[in-house]
Amino acid sequence: MEDSQPLLRSEERRQNCHYRWSTHTLESKVVEDFRRRLKYFFMNPCEKYRARGRKPWKLMLQIVKIAIITIQLVSFGLSNEMMVTFKDENLMTFRHLFLKGYKDHRLGSYALYTKADVYDHIDYIINRYIDLQNLTVGNLAYERADGECTPLSVCQEFYRNSSIDPGNGTFDIDPHIDKDCISIYPAQLFGNRSLATHFNFSLDFKRLLSVNIYLTLKTINLQTVRHHELPDCYDFHIMIMFDNRAHSGKIKVDVKNDVRIYECRDWNVEGTSGKNDYLLLWFDSVVILACFTSLVLCTRSVINGIQLQFEFNIFFHAYYNKIVTWSDRMEFVNGWYILIIVSDTLTIAGSALKIGIQTKFLTNYDVCSILLGTATMLVWVGVIRYLGFFRKYNILILTLRAALPNVIRFCCCAAMIYLGYCFCGWIVLGPYHDKFRTLDRVTECLFSLINGDDMYATFLNMRDKSYMVWLFSRIYLYSFISLFIYMVLSLFIALITDTYETIKHHQQDKVPVSQLQAFIAECRDQPESGRYQTDEEPASCCLCPCCCFG
């Protein structure tokens, strides 16, 4: 009996030792499996293919998407270029047709200074409109409604009542604005009579705010035929404005143009059909389908990354009793996927608008251009991600990502100084210098000075002002240029250079820069080792300390 006791204790110690060894082995295997899983998650598509033979469908889709989105943008850009050229040339035509004595070099400075000139120019516009068919060399026609040409409208806006005597320095004014309009049909002939005698139309210049002349003309853009596109029909809603709101003795005259584009009702081009339009619509549909597929795949990858981030956070806390830093957690959220998701969303919206424009349901080229242009820019910026698979090219991406937080904080501080100079220059130099007349001009001028543009002209325009303002302008400009060029820009460059040197040093020494990278670096298994050939990964790993510790 006594001999059996040592044997029982020996057997018990052997079983306890085996239990501890088994638990330790199990824990090590869980850690290694999870480390290998993390390493696989951060592999590039080529390494994942070598590790598990998984085809890089997402990578191939992005490459195809770059090609088709670029082709779509070029096609839309050429069509948009013809449309914009046609609109601009017609606007210039209207200025030459309806503004008396207009010259191209006087664009933006066309103004009248006498009452006789105002009446004369209004009469001139009306007579030119009535005789338009005999004057223009373009395909311009009047708009018709119910078989009758729509009229030209002359509207004046003025204060309701006013009594102004600048000599005595007295005035009595009712700020409410009234509007009075008359309509003139193309069939009406003025002859030698003026507008005032023909319609009893008169202007009270003391109360007058503006005279606006509205007219609508129709035309067809035939230049698209040469590019195998069906011509569009255009309605030009023209407004000629005589602006007297300043009451400074100078009435500024300008021509504004609002365009409506629609499909012509009856068309026939020899040897042409609507086949090209159907091909474009089919191509745009393919682009939308490709972007939607990419959007779904990238969204799924982002969700998987977020789930793995939570698992890693629980795992690290359970095994090492440490809290994962926010920077490490953000590494699971792939910023390139976010970029692709934004790009795909913009492309889908822009392609839908493009289809609407091609089918003439919509005419908003500007919104479509912004969406497609921004999407294409993001797609091409995303190409840097694939260059980052090569170690020598990855330095740019790493530097931008590491320097971005410090750059944002630095720019916020510099912006406070910049805004201070903007407000000061606007209020002090604005009355004496054209470049400081408005707040937006000030910001543009100072930004140009930072880049060394147009410095001498900015100094020169202040020479003939009062001595106090001239002295202040010198102190203001010299201090701004010295502060921002010699200090702010130098610090900005040094900030990025320092980040670049740090990243370069870590790459050369192969030193992990975070807990996550250090944890993954302990996994020495290469993609070709076959250790990554596993069944479907579990939905979760280490969701609770009890599970983690067996």
Side-chain angles (χ1 to χ4, degrees), residues 210-261:
S210 66
V211 177
N212 298 324
I213 300 178
Y214 303 94
L215 56 108
T216 301
L217 297 175
K218 302 170 71 70
T219 187
I220 301 175
N221 184 5
L222 295 178
Q223 65 175 329
T224 58
V225 175
R226 296 182 291 107
H227 299 275
H228 306 289
E229 292 185 21
L230 293 179
D232 294 324
C233 289
Y234 287 69
D235 282 351
F236 289 102
H237 301 277
I238 305 163
M239 182 180 73
I240 305 173
M241 182 172 62
F242 296 76
D243 187 3
N244 190 43
R245 297 179 189 277
H247 286 89
S248 60
K250 175 182 177 180
I251 296 181
K252 294 178 286 186
V253 184
D254 194 15
V255 179
K256 295 184 179 180
N257 188 19
D258 186 23
V259 183
R260 187 178 75 88
I261 305 173

Side-chain angles (χ1 to χ4, degrees), residues 119 153 163 194 196 217 228 324 345 498 519:
Y119 283 114
S153 299
S163 176
S194 66
L217 297 175
H228 306 289
V324 180
T345 304
D498 182 63
F519 179 75

